[in-house]
Amino acid sequence: MPSLGVNIDHIATIRQARRTVEPDPVAAAVLAELGGADGITVHLREDRRHIQDRDVRILRETVRTHLNLEMAPTPEMVSIALSIKPDYVTLVPERREEITTEGGIDLLANFERFREIVAQLQSGGIPVSWFIDADLAQIEAAVKTQAQFIELHTGKYAEAQSETTRQQELEVLRLGCEQAIAAGLRVNLGHGLTYTNVYPVACLPGVEELNIGHTIISRAVFVGLERAVRDMKLAITGQL
Ligand code: PXP
């Protein structure tokens, strides 16, 4: 079954609501790892609405599993990544007015610039993942950038309003995984996954990691983070 990357951005969201020092995402990462997280994911947004530069710097020192830095493909973020050196970077589209990442990046829109960004990050020894929709043209473009990974956007699957649509979206993801793996990419999945919808995507052949945030932090408010992560590990294996 795929491993679990726990996205702890929302811990920082609570802290930033008061511009104070608590709760600290660094403490959250420790508890998530105690609960069985296989990786820690943070999104350093250009507007710094939740995770701060200081968080990424300290997490680099304290995370015992692996640190996945989500960021926009911009010169500022590339330079931060090259100095902090996360275990890998996931490049995501970013719009200031969005509440959360709304769709995959369009690799065809700025292909040459994106290829250059992958080269810059890889020359610093950082593997790169593109957050894209399960679309063949995007998958082929990701291969051409020479990125090692993609993360397929699971939002449409997660938000499906009927069982028929959900099954259709699951098939889109299954095909995307197959095409990407056949083309030599490693595949992660994420966005909108919950305790109740995660198992079918966790069963898709070849998926390496699921990146999950909101539902885990929501449950953690009531049961604690360590247990919330443990529960998600069970959900991924169909035991919850
Ligand atoms: N993967 C990516 C690339 C994301 O941008 C996000 C949201 O920050 C997630 C996964 C996690 O999504 P969710 O919080 O809905 O689990």
Side-chain angles (χ1 to χ4, degrees), residues 27-228:
V30 173
L31 289 171
E33 288 184 333
L34 284 176
D38 303 292
I40 300 295
T41 298
V42 288
H43 184 174
L44 185 66
R45 293 187 76 103
E46 288 179 282
D47 63 10
R48 308 299 197 271
R49 70 172 70 153
H50 40 53
I51 293 293
Q52 305 296 305
D53 300 56
R54 161 267 183 210
D55 301 330
V56 190
R57 275 199 308 276
I58 300 179
L59 286 166
R60 173 64 296 182
E61 303 281 318
T62 57
V63 165
R64 289 283 160 265
T65 52
H66 61 255
L67 180 64
N68 167 23
L69 177 62
E70 281 180 19
M71 59 182 221
T74 63
E76 182 205 8
M77 289 298 155
V78 169
S79 132
I80 290 172
L82 287 171
S83 85
I84 290 180
K85 296 212 188 289
D87 293 290
Y88 70 96
V89 153
T90 302
L91 294 168
V92 301
E94 216 173 273
R95 289 193 305 122
R96 273 174 193 262
E97 62 274 24
E98 69 192 358
I99 293 174
T100 181
T101 317
E102 284 171 355
I105 206 158
D106 181 2
L107 288 177
L108 305 171
N110 280 301
F111 180 76
E112 287 308 326
R113 189 166 66 83
F114 289 159
R115 188 159 62 176
E116 176 57 24
I117 283 175
V118 172
Q120 285 170 358
L121 289 165
Q122 289 178 343
S123 69
I126 305 170
V128 178
S129 178
W130 285 111
F131 185 49
I132 57 172
D133 293 325
D135 171 87
L136 184 56
Q138 297 296 333
I139 292 168
E140 286 173 345
V143 174
K144 286 194 195 130
T145 65
Q146 304 200 354
Q148 291 95 329
F149 291 87
I150 54 171
E151 179 174 327
L152 292 179
H153 194 298
T154 48
K156 283 191 186 147
Y157 162 80
E159 286 152 24
Q161 295 297 313
S162 70
E163 196 43 39
T164 314
T165 318
R166 189 182 300 273
Q167 287 306 324
Q168 284 166 353
E169 293 300 335
L170 187 60
E171 283 313 305
V172 171
L173 290 169
R174 184 190 309 281
L175 183 61
C177 290
E178 265 175 34
Q179 290 166 335
I181 291 166
L185 288 164
R186 300 173 67 179
V187 180
N188 302 330
L189 301 177
H191 209 280
L193 297 176
T194 66
Y195 292 88
T196 49
N197 69 21
V198 73
Y199 183 60
V201 295
C203 292
L204 292 175
V207 174
E208 294 199 25
E209 185 160 87
L210 305 174
N211 279 309
I212 307 181
H214 187 263
T215 199
I216 294 176
I217 304 305
S218 303
R219 182 173 288 220
V221 170
F222 300 112
V223 305
L225 185 54
E226 199 181 330
R227 176 165 155 202

